Amino acid sequence: MSENSIDSICEFLLHAGTDFRIYDVGRGIQPIPSQTFLQLENGEFPTPSPRQQQGWYALVFWQAAHAVNLNASRQYIWFLRLPVDEQSKIVNAARTHFLRTIVDALQQDPSMEKGLPDNPYIFTPAETLRAQLTAKVKADLNQLSQQDSIKTFAYINAPGTVDWRNISMQEVHYAVYQLTDNSKVFKNLEQNWSQLAPAFLNVLLCALENIPLPDETEQFFIQQIKQSQNAEMQTRLLLALHNPNTSINVSALLALLLSDPRSSTLSLLSVIAGRYGTSLSPALLSLFFQRCHELDESENADGEIIKGFYEDLVRLPAIRPHVLQLIR
């Protein structure tokens, strides 16, 4: 494989004889069609969800020869961060450098037994992100089985009969992808909420991010946020409410939280910016930066907090004009 013949990451994966899927993992997990990613690579339009001035992606691939039996094939995952410019378009030179690094390594070690060479683009994700992505991929490839969810559902349905410590983080992430809107598990989650171990709830709420919730469960989580005095639990519940389409009820919750100066905690503002940034209206953006300013003053941060959030949110194409207008 010659580096001169490879012009894109998608082309590289095809030339390598793989089937693949690509996900945006910057602010949640969203699948990206290969043609769309190719256009992103070529700078035809900006990355929709950059984070820390980079596009965050997961490349999942397996040998095409095993396509008929995906369960028999080994899937590989590369977590990739590519720098973006001021317009949030992928920096072409960085993409080219990454490709050259990989192609050169393959020429030296075709089997890649030594793994990927050190480079500034591949990164090791947080354990939660890896668990979320692994479950999402398995669900998308129809590789989940009832066995993956038995212990999780059993504990939610009857907390007194199952030791939650025997349930792994990955099992919880697998289980949420087997929930349906009318599942009795959601109802039992609400009924048994106070009996579930806080450590288990923390994992479950992280796993529920990106999973559409039934209206009743969404309302239950919103009420828990309003009633809770635990800031950490509030942020985890807010993460669990996140999915690609922010509902009217969640938008109203964001307005309520941002209207209250007491909600000016760094963790809560970080979740709002990191997961709901593109959903913030000009009015909510104004409230958001007002809370940032108050936090800056109370923490004697000398403007660093508001600066950090500005640099993050101004990279989001959907709200960039509004952010620029507010700062001006």
Side-chain angles (χ1 to χ4, degrees):
M1 184 183 294
S2 166
E3 64 181 89
N4 295 327
S5 65
I6 303 296
D7 296 318
S8 71
I9 295 170
C10 289
E11 191 178 352
F12 165 79
L13 292 170
L14 287 170
H15 275 246
T18 68
D19 284 336
F20 61 92
R21 301 245 176 152
I22 301 175
Y23 297 84
D24 185 321
V25 295
R27 298 170 187 269
I29 296 177
Q30 285 298 306
I32 308 175
S34 56
Q35 183 59 36
T36 301
F37 187 72
L38 181 60
Q39 292 173 297
L40 284 171
E41 284 191 73
N42 292 331
E44 293 181 30
F45 51 81
T47 298
S49 305
R51 178 178 165 194
Q52 298 171 348
Q53 301 176 34
Q54 297 170 311
W56 292 45
Y57 305 104
L59 312 179
V60 183
F61 56 95
W62 60 93
Q63 288 301 312
H66 296 294
V68 243
N69 185 7
L70 282 174
N71 288 311
S73 73
R74 179 181 175 185
Q75 285 133 30
Y76 299 86
I77 301 177
W78 289 352
F79 288 90
L80 176 68
R81 284 187 296 225
L82 293 172
V84 298
D85 61 20
E86 290 186 358
Q87 294 182 313
S88 298
K89 293 182 178 180
I90 290 174
V91 176
N92 186 267
R95 187 273 307 267
T96 302
H97 182 222
F98 169 70
L99 281 171
R100 186 170 66 246
T101 301
I102 301 304
V103 171
D104 287 349
L106 278 171
Q107 290 173 341
Q108 298 294 322
D109 178 21
S111 65
M112 293 288 277
E113 289 181 359
K114 298 176 183 177
L116 288 170
D118 288 339
N119 65 82
Y121 311 109
I122 296 293
F123 71 99
T124 301
E127 188 179 13
T128 297
L129 175 55
R130 183 180 290 279
Q132 287 176 330
L133 193 276
T134 300
K136 172 66 173 168
V137 170
K138 200 166 182 178
D140 286 350
L141 298 179
N142 297 314
Q143 292 180 329
L144 290 172
S145 68
Q146 287 188 337
Q147 193 66 32
D148 293 318
S149 60
I150 286 177
K151 287 191 287 185
T152 301
F153 290 170
Y155 177 62
I156 293 172
N157 292 335
T161 64
V162 178
D163 186 347
W164 66 270
R165 290 168 295 187
N166 293 328
I167 307 171
S168 71
M169 174 190 285
Q170 194 61 67
E171 286 177 309
V172 177
H173 281 78
Y174 286 153
V176 299
Y177 278 97
Q178 298 189 66
L179 289 166
T180 56
D181 277 0
N182 59 358
S183 172
K184 68 174 185 178
V185 178
F186 278 121
K187 295 182 176 62
N188 288 333
L189 172 63
E190 297 167 32
Q191 291 172 4
N192 299 328
W193 182 261
S194 61
Q195 301 175 52
L196 298 171
F200 173 83
L201 281 176
N202 287 344
V203 174
L204 178 65
L205 292 173
C206 285
L208 284 171
E209 184 185 354
N210 305 304
I211 305 292
L213 300 174
D215 292 342
E216 295 80 5
T217 305
E218 180 182 89
Q219 286 290 356
F220 176 78
F221 283 179
I222 288 173
Q223 283 305 119
Q224 291 298 312
I225 289 174
K226 292 177 179 178
Q227 296 168 10
S228 177
Q229 301 299 313
N230 184 322
E232 183 181 355
M233 179 55 73
Q234 284 184 318
T235 57
R236 291 188 183 278
L237 283 160
L238 199 54
L239 277 172
L241 286 168
H242 172 253
N243 70 69
N245 301 307
T246 303
S247 72
I248 294 174
N249 292 329
V250 173
S251 293
L253 173 67
L254 294 176
L256 180 68
L257 291 172
L258 290 173
S259 297
D260 184 355
R262 292 172 298 178
S263 69
S264 300
T265 66
L266 187 58
S267 59
L268 193 65
L269 292 175
S270 295
V271 170
I272 292 174
R275 292 298 186 268
Y276 296 95
T278 56
S279 302
L280 296 179
S281 65
L284 287 183
L285 272 172
S286 180
L287 280 174
F288 178 84
F289 281 112
Q290 186 178 333
R291 299 286 86 86
C292 291
H293 175 68
E294 292 165 355
L295 187 60
D296 248 324
E297 291 194 328
S298 67
E299 298 289 331
N300 295 316
D302 196 28
E304 289 301 311
I305 292 175
I306 198 168
K307 178 185 175 185
F309 280 123
Y310 164 75
E311 290 178 348
D312 181 50
L313 293 176
V314 78
R315 300 282 179 168
L316 298 178
I319 61 171
R320 177 180 169 83
H322 303 307
V323 175
L324 289 172
Q325 186 176 5
L326 277 171
I327 295 302
R328 286 173 186 150

